[in-house]
Amino acid sequence: MAVQTAGNTTNPGTTNATTVDLGPAAALSCRECGHRVPLGPLFACQECFGPLEIAYDFSAYETEELRKLIESGPANIWRYAPLLPVPADVAGKPNLNPGWTALVKADNLARELGVTGGLYVKDDSGNPTHSFKDRVVAQALEAARAFGFTTLSCSSTGNLAGAVGAAAARAGFRSCVFIPHDLEQGKVVMAAVYGGELVGIEGNYDDVNRFCSELIGDPAGEGWGFVNVNLRPYYAEGSKTLAYEICEQLGWKLPDQIVVPIASGSQLTKIDKGLQELIKLGLVEDKPYKIFGAQAEGCSPVSVAYKAGHDVVRPQKPDTIAKSLAIGNPADGPYVLDIARRTGGAVEDVTDEQIVEAIKLLARTEGIFAETAGGVTVGVTRKLIENGALDPTLTTVVLNTGDGLKTLDAVAGTGLTATIRPSLDSFREAGLV
Amino acid sequence: MAVQTAGNTTNPGTTNATTVDLGPAAALSCRECGHRVPLGPLFACQECFGPLEIAYDFSAYETEELRKLIESGPANIWRYAPLLPVPADVAGKPNLNPGWTALVKADNLARELGVTGGLYVKDDSGNPTHSFKDRVVAQALEAARAFGFTTLSCSSTGNLAGAVGAAAARAGFRSCVFIPHDLEQGKVVMAAVYGGELVGIEGNYDDVNRFCSELIGDPAGEGWGFVNVNLRPYYAEGSKTLAYEICEQLGWKLPDQIVVPIASGSQLTKIDKGLQELIKLGLVEDKPYKIFGAQAEGCSPVSVAYKAGHDVVRPQKPDTIAKSLAIGNPADGPYVLDIARRTGGAVEDVTDEQIVEAIKLLARTEGIFAETAGGVTVGVTRKLIENGALDPTLTTVVLNTGDGLKTLDAVAGTGLTATIRPSLDSFREAGLV
């Protein structure tokens, strides 16, 4: 099938760092030792092997000037371009333009859970490929453009494959996505339809990841931007936009409590980073907030460590229906533990049965059909209220990061309430009136 | 399972018409004979059995005042509340708040199709339940509230069932949706997850429809709002918002050409109505536009009539993968023929094979995964360009009314481009670099 190749045609990987325009992004900085290097397709510190993240220069705008700029921006993540590692003219480039998804005031759910302080669901199923992954891939795409890459790649077991395939198609990049060869046919179709290369690897997700790391170091991978490997520092920043949107949609206010799913833990750490930035920039009032992490019991390494009082996370072999959260060795686990403890939050987990119940609860009360990850956050919210860790009198935001249409199997038991003949007599007999 | 009942508790069906506040909606008016009756849950003229539609009083605002009001409104269909049969405070009521979906500048698709005048895809897969049905159900819901109904109902084979179930859940209505008993399990799950009553009828879609008409006239159906039957005049108006959004997103300009799918034909006629309203209100410049209708060959009664030069539509027995368009006896067929001819458009159809090709084309070029109905409009656009009916030098808007995740079977043949062992050697052998 025809795959378009387009974009910057300079020799990939040789772009001079000083010519890279990624807006307020000033450098890469090691989260562990603080060592700074110029912006480039790097993800690990050369000094201490710690994770690199973006260091910004936000001095270009005064607070109220920045607020006005954001409020007059497009109804997508690019309204926050001044706070992201992207060029100022990003909104004019071909991109899926995700974000600015609904923050739903969930009054029916609040009644069921006993929340009186205001309950909101941040519903990221409204993104172009119906998961929050569109936010992070959009950042990685701009970095790939800046570094002269022409192929967008990733390892994935689902949502990310579709997000990368779609974004590459829109932007005129070649895409090559690696997945375990025995993935469910439905998920293969969702990723393959965008027409990029979709390669099945004989092995499990760990084998796929290992292969991708090899490929980055090989000439065969030259010119390739792996969104969640060599572009990870840029990619990860996309999750900050969840924090920005929630606060702006609350009228430039911090929520009191926020419940976030944990896969690698990156999303939770970046939401915290985003909230901190808004405070420092004066866009919201500085006040305490609590961040809660949510896992499935069948993949709960961070929750287990939190409850045991540990600082390190012991890897698990995942076994849960919440496949999009099934990372047994979460890279950002220790940072998540730190944030949950520092903010007065917690990390909790729920069983697969509780996940399914929570998916149905959210659908029945608010008309939102969440994927299993959304069942995890709603289920954990309920559990945190029951065990007293979450205060129901405070403003609470629960994240739904994906769409129920992608994990239909989880609620496959749901069905007809009655079957009748096409007659009023038969209808009356069914006892529905 | 628990179903909430809430809302107006006045005796259903007895609401005094003079107390109904549905904003600018002034009366119901017969499309055929012009006979006017007060607003109520009626759909057929008592004089001539013609279809009733909403008559408006738009005199409340000056043009520029109205434009400002719209532009400062919410990022959903309620920005157009002054032009819809809803109360002015509708945005504050519990509702799924659909609309304001992306109008995607489809430059890659334009290149493939040879369109030089600007090609746009109006992507309604971004709605809450991922189809345009959320727009029409949202109107019906407000009418149901106004008339004191407490149960929301419909006959459906797919998208509408989910849209009604979700909207009822959010708004605290009971829902009872009727579907053929042998619907595919996936579609049943998508509709059942919202927790309302989902009743399978032993028979085909025609039997389901016939049963619903019986139920409306029976005491058992008292207090029930059937969105696509006794609330149809209100429901249908939701499609006008597609016209409003397209024009506003083009900078308050009419497109030159617009390609719309045909099921009952209602959507196309209401898009025309919406464009005419914008002209009359002075919100856009009065200039010619052409409306094209798109059908699947396996259900092409309007296309066949158009090509034969007939004014009436001869019913067909549908046989196509485009199930959401498979209405063999489209109620608004004659009006569609009239509009296509009056505006200088056309009605065309494509085969199932062309539908699948078009789905893949749209995904590969723009990263938009459409349901079969979107394959129909994109495929028809291509055919209309090839046969000279559509002018590629003019601004053209193509509608995608639903999401590919709901019709995965259509592209089930899509799959892995290669399967390899997790080694660089195996990767090189696959010939992907």
Side-chain angles (χ1 to χ4, degrees):
Chain A
M1 78 199 66
V3 175
Q4 299 157 315
T5 58
N8 191 327
T9 54
T10 60
N11 195 7
T14 64
T15 312
N16 188 328
T18 59
T19 68
V20 169
D21 171 17
L22 287 173
L28 291 172
S29 165
C30 175
R31 181 152 186 158
E32 289 298 328
C33 76
H35 181 69
R36 278 168 82 108
V37 291
L39 296 170
L42 305 164
F43 56 105
C45 177
Q46 289 155 308
E47 301 291 318
C48 76
F49 302 104
L52 294 174
E53 56 178 18
I54 313 283
Y56 292 95
D57 175 1
F58 286 148
S59 62
Y61 300 99
E62 300 294 324
T63 300
E64 291 313 314
E65 189 188 1
L66 180 58
R67 195 194 307 274
K68 264 188 204 150
L69 191 68
I70 291 170
E71 289 178 346
S72 64
N76 58 51
I77 52 170
W78 304 132
R79 64 199 286 112
Y80 307 108
L83 305 178
L84 295 169
V86 295
D89 63 349
V90 63
K93 295 174 187 283
N95 194 295
L96 291 184
N97 299 327
W100 204 241
T101 56
L103 183 71
V104 176
K105 183 98 194 298
D107 291 342
N108 298 330
L109 181 62
R111 267 192 298 276
E112 294 249 358
L113 298 183
V115 176
T116 55
L119 180 64
Y120 297 83
V121 175
K122 179 63 176 170
D123 185 13
D124 246 17
S125 68
N127 277 315
T129 72
H130 307 321
S131 90
F132 98 97
K133 290 290 185 189
D134 291 324
R135 297 178 183 272
V136 286
V137 170
Q139 313 298 318
L141 175 64
E142 295 312 315
R145 253 196 267 265
F147 299 138
F149 291 135
T150 51
T151 297
L152 215 57
S153 185
C154 71
S155 55
S156 171
T157 63
N159 283 331
L160 186 56
V164 166
R170 175 79 59 85
F173 276 63
R174 181 178 186 253
S175 73
C176 189
V177 167
F178 297 96
I179 59 175
H181 72 118
D182 56 356
L183 216 59
E184 303 94 303
Q185 179 59 15
K187 288 194 178 167
V188 172
V189 171
M190 289 179 211
V193 74
Y194 301 104
E197 309 287 354
L198 185 68
V199 180
I201 302 268
E202 290 170 4
N204 60 25
Y205 183 63
D206 288 334
D207 296 315
V208 178
N209 260 333
R210 214 173 299 123
F211 168 75
C212 287
S213 300
E214 268 188 82
L215 187 52
I216 287 171
D218 190 86
E222 211 176 315
W224 289 40
F226 286 81
V227 302
N228 53 350
V229 190
N230 59 349
L231 298 176
R232 190 166 186 88
Y234 309 90
Y235 167 91
E237 295 295 286
S239 292
K240 290 196 312 179
T241 59
L242 279 162
Y244 299 157
E245 290 182 16
I246 289 167
C247 291
E248 186 180 352
Q249 289 170 322
L250 288 174
W252 293 111
K253 284 204 177 87
L254 291 168
D256 296 320
Q257 304 175 123
I258 178 164
V259 184
V260 182
I262 301 172
S264 73
S266 167
Q267 185 182 65
L268 189 147
T269 66
K270 295 301 178 181
I271 285 175
D272 181 56
K273 188 181 179 188
L275 296 177
Q276 289 295 325
E277 286 173 356
L278 293 184
I279 291 171
K280 279 181 202 131
L281 289 162
L283 288 166
V284 298
E285 197 188 347
D286 188 3
K287 70 161 198 68
Y289 59 83
K290 296 180 182 183
I291 299 189
F292 297 84
Q295 296 207 293
E297 188 184 88
C299 182
S300 53
V302 188
S303 174
V304 167
Y306 175 83
K307 292 175 185 174
H310 294 162
D311 292 334
V312 291
V313 170
R314 191 171 164 167
Q316 289 183 2
K317 198 171 166 203
D319 178 18
T320 169
I321 57 169
K323 304 274 185 215
S324 62
L325 303 182
I327 297 183
N329 189 11
D332 287 341
Y335 303 125
V336 168
L337 291 170
D338 179 53
I339 291 167
R341 286 172 182 144
R342 173 168 51 75
T343 65
V347 184
E348 189 52 271
D349 57 84
V350 281
T351 66
D352 283 0
E353 198 181 7
Q354 289 169 321
I355 294 169
V356 172
E357 274 171 25
I359 290 173
K360 291 182 187 172
L361 173 65
L362 182 61
R364 171 168 67 78
T365 52
E366 300 298 339
I368 296 172
F369 184 19
E371 73 151 296
T372 43
V376 169
T377 49
V378 171
V380 160
T381 302
R382 168 180 255 175
K383 194 166 169 184
L384 288 167
I385 292 168
E386 284 166 4
N387 68 25
L390 194 137
D391 184 344
T393 67
L394 299 178
T395 304
T396 304
V397 176
V398 180
L399 260 60
N400 172 39
T401 51
D403 200 295
L405 294 181
K406 295 193 179 188
T407 55
L408 275 182
D409 285 351
V411 287
T414 317
L416 297 174
T417 43
T419 302
I420 64 170
R421 295 183 309 282
S423 80
L424 291 170
D425 282 348
S426 181
F427 179 63
R428 285 197 193 88
E429 281 162 22
L432 293 168
V433 280
Chain B
M1 79 199 68
V3 175
Q4 298 157 313
T5 57
N8 192 326
T9 53
T10 60
N11 197 5
T14 64
T15 310
N16 189 327
T18 59
T19 67
V20 169
D21 172 16
L22 287 173
L28 291 173
S29 164
C30 175
R31 181 152 186 157
E32 290 298 329
C33 75
H35 181 70
R36 279 167 81 108
V37 291
L39 295 171
L42 305 164
F43 57 105
C45 177
Q46 290 154 307
E47 301 291 317
C48 76
F49 302 104
L52 294 174
E53 55 177 20
I54 313 283
Y56 291 96
D57 175 2
F58 287 148
S59 63
Y61 300 99
E62 300 295 323
T63 301
E64 291 313 314
E65 189 188 2
L66 179 58
R67 194 193 309 275
K68 263 189 204 150
L69 192 68
I70 292 170
E71 289 178 346
S72 65
N76 57 51
I77 53 171
W78 304 132
R79 64 199 286 112
Y80 306 109
L83 306 178
L84 295 170
V86 295
D89 63 348
V90 62
K93 295 175 188 281
N95 193 296
L96 290 185
N97 300 326
W100 203 241
T101 57
L103 182 72
V104 176
K105 183 96 192 299
D107 291 341
N108 298 328
L109 180 62
R111 267 191 299 277
E112 295 248 359
L113 298 183
V115 176
T116 56
L119 180 65
Y120 297 83
V121 175
K122 179 63 176 171
D123 186 13
D124 247 17
S125 67
N127 277 316
T129 72
H130 306 322
S131 91
F132 99 97
K133 291 290 185 189
D134 291 325
R135 296 178 184 272
V136 286
V137 170
Q139 312 299 319
L141 175 64
E142 294 314 313
R145 250 195 269 264
F147 299 136
F149 292 135
T150 51
T151 296
L152 214 57
S153 185
C154 71
S155 54
S156 171
T157 64
N159 283 331
L160 186 57
V164 166
R170 176 78 58 86
F173 276 64
R174 181 177 187 253
S175 73
C176 188
V177 168
F178 298 94
I179 58 175
H181 71 117
D182 55 356
L183 216 58
E184 303 94 302
Q185 179 58 16
K187 288 193 178 166
V188 173
V189 170
M190 289 180 212
V193 73
Y194 301 104
E197 309 288 351
L198 185 67
V199 179
I201 302 269
E202 289 170 3
N204 60 24
Y205 183 61
D206 287 335
D207 296 316
V208 179
N209 260 334
R210 213 171 301 126
F211 169 75
C212 287
S213 300
E214 270 189 80
L215 187 51
I216 287 171
D218 190 88
E222 211 177 316
W224 289 40
F226 285 80
V227 301
N228 53 350
V229 191
N230 58 350
L231 298 177
R232 190 167 186 88
Y234 310 90
Y235 168 89
E237 295 295 286
S239 292
K240 292 196 310 180
T241 59
L242 279 162
Y244 300 156
E245 290 183 15
I246 289 168
C247 290
E248 186 180 352
Q249 288 170 323
L250 288 174
W252 293 109
K253 284 201 178 87
L254 291 168
D256 298 318
Q257 305 174 123
I258 178 164
V259 184
V260 182
I262 302 172
S264 72
S266 167
Q267 186 182 62
L268 190 147
T269 66
K270 294 302 179 182
I271 285 175
D272 181 55
K273 187 180 181 190
L275 297 177
Q276 289 295 325
E277 286 174 354
L278 294 185
I279 291 171
K280 279 181 203 130
L281 290 162
L283 288 166
V284 297
E285 199 189 348
D286 189 3
K287 72 161 197 67
Y289 59 84
K290 298 178 181 182
I291 300 190
F292 298 85
Q295 295 206 296
E297 189 184 88
C299 182
S300 53
V302 188
S303 175
V304 166
Y306 175 83
K307 290 175 188 176
H310 294 161
D311 291 335
V312 292
V313 171
R314 192 172 162 167
Q316 289 184 1
K317 199 172 165 200
D319 179 18
T320 169
I321 57 169
K323 305 272 186 220
S324 62
L325 304 182
I327 297 184
N329 188 13
D332 287 341
Y335 302 124
V336 167
L337 290 169
D338 179 54
I339 291 167
R341 287 173 182 142
R342 172 167 53 74
T343 65
V347 185
E348 190 49 273
D349 57 83
V350 282
T351 65
D352 282 2
E353 199 181 6
Q354 290 170 321
I355 294 169
V356 173
E357 274 171 24
I359 291 173
K360 290 182 186 172
L361 174 65
L362 182 61
R364 170 167 68 76
T365 53
E366 301 299 339
I368 297 172
F369 183 20
E371 73 152 296
T372 44
V376 169
T377 50
V378 171
V380 160
T381 302
R382 167 181 256 174
K383 195 168 171 183
L384 289 168
I385 291 169
E386 284 166 4
N387 67 24
L390 194 137
D391 185 343
T393 69
L394 298 178
T395 304
T396 304
V397 176
V398 179
L399 260 59
N400 172 40
T401 51
D403 201 295
L405 293 181
K406 295 193 179 187
T407 56
L408 274 182
D409 285 351
V411 288
T414 317
L416 296 175
T417 44
T419 302
I420 64 171
R421 295 185 307 283
S423 79
L424 291 169
D425 283 347
S426 180
F427 179 62
R428 286 198 191 88
E429 281 161 22
L432 294 167
V433 281

